[in-house]
Amino acid sequence: MMDILVQAVSKYPLVTAFVVVGLIMWVSTYIGKIFNNRIHASAIAIVIGLILAFVGGKYTGGKHGISDVGLFAGIGLMGGSVFRDFAIVATAFGVKLEELKKAGVPGVVALVVSMILSTAIGAATAYAFGYTNPVDMATIGGGAATFIVGPVTGAALGASSEVIALSVAAGVVKSISVMILTPFLAKMAGLNNPAAAAVYGGLMGTTSGTAAGLAATDPRLVPYGAMTATFYTGFGCLVVPSLGYAAIVALVG
């Protein structure tokens, strides 16, 4: 029985990858319920994925994390550029420019200013810890914006897997922080109407963090905050590898 199962798992690696990711999401959702959904399941799943990647790298001595283990080779294909780009496009699908206009000028200003600040702080932090290469600084700066912008920037500029992993970690820390702190800051920030939620989504950027934080504050505000946060991710994928990188090169050479 076990031999048949191992043979099936090895023969269809991509199917196995989908099953493994499904199980991780199921476990993450269960853990999220334990914390009353204040920590979004997607953030928990990312942390589990990073732990598995670390264990896989240590166990095999390879460079591709858990996908270096034969049974989980399909995760390498699933996490490749084709499926990654498909997921990003799917995330942005259905978002209309007209919807962004509903957030008004404050929403647009919040989105742009927050993107500049997040990238600058991330790049400065990377520089302070010895990552002085403009490619590394732009990648980690993108990760400080969201854990999607970082890998996209790193892939576009040719950053190392180590730097891309750091960018994902930076984005996850930001996402979890937004999830946890939003309910406590809601009253102070005036998060009690759709317009404020839209501006807040543009400021925070992280879709999962904003959605979970607003859900814990007032579920009716989630669509408005998530809308501008989704735009934030797409906007970051466009400007950080291009304008952001050019600005960093101009500053540090």
Side-chain angles (χ1 to χ4, degrees):
M1 182 64 183
M2 185 58 70
D3 292 338
I4 295 175
L5 181 62
V6 171
Q7 186 178 3
V9 167
S10 303
K11 190 174 181 180
Y12 304 103
L14 186 57
V15 175
T16 303
F18 275 102
V19 172
V20 171
V21 171
L23 288 173
I24 291 174
M25 284 305 303
W26 182 77
V27 172
S28 301
T29 302
Y30 181 79
I31 295 174
K33 289 180 179 177
I34 294 176
F35 290 98
N36 206 20
N37 291 324
R38 289 182 181 273
I39 301 177
H40 200 272
S42 61
I44 298 171
I46 290 171
V47 172
I48 293 174
L50 289 173
I51 293 172
L52 290 176
F54 175 79
V55 172
K58 281 290 184 182
Y59 174 72
T60 64
K63 298 181 178 179
H64 301 99
I66 194 68
S67 64
D68 283 326
V69 179
L71 289 177
F72 305 113
I75 291 179
L77 175 61
M78 189 179 183
S81 59
V82 174
F83 278 92
R84 181 203 63 205
D85 294 345
F86 177 77
I88 292 171
V89 172
T91 300
F93 185 79
V95 175
K96 299 177 181 178
L97 187 60
E98 290 74 16
E99 297 296 324
L100 180 61
K101 294 178 181 176
K102 294 180 181 177
V105 174
V108 176
V109 172
L111 188 149
V112 174
V113 171
S114 178
M115 181 60 66
I116 294 173
L117 285 178
S118 296
T119 306
I121 292 172
T125 304
Y127 189 89
F129 280 88
Y131 291 91
T132 56
N133 186 302
V135 172
D136 297 345
M137 292 174 65
T139 302
I140 296 175
T146 78
F147 52 72
I148 293 178
V149 176
V152 169
T153 302
L157 300 178
S160 67
S161 57
E162 174 193 347
V163 171
I164 291 176
L166 284 174
S167 74
V168 174
V172 170
V173 170
K174 177 183 178 180
S175 179
I176 293 175
S177 299
V178 172
M179 290 176 197
I180 296 172
L181 295 177
T182 296
F184 299 103
L185 299 176
K187 188 175 181 181
M188 186 189 308
L191 280 175
N192 53 17
N193 61 80
V199 173
Y200 186 76
L203 279 174
M204 296 298 107
T206 165
T207 305
S208 56
T210 301
L214 290 177
T217 304
D218 184 348
R220 293 172 297 179
L221 300 178
V222 171
Y224 303 98
M227 178 181 66
T228 46
T230 302
F231 271 107
Y232 183 97
T233 300
F235 180 64
C237 290
L238 285 175
V239 300
V240 176
S242 54
L243 297 178
Y245 174 67
I248 291 172
V249 170
L251 287 173
V252 301

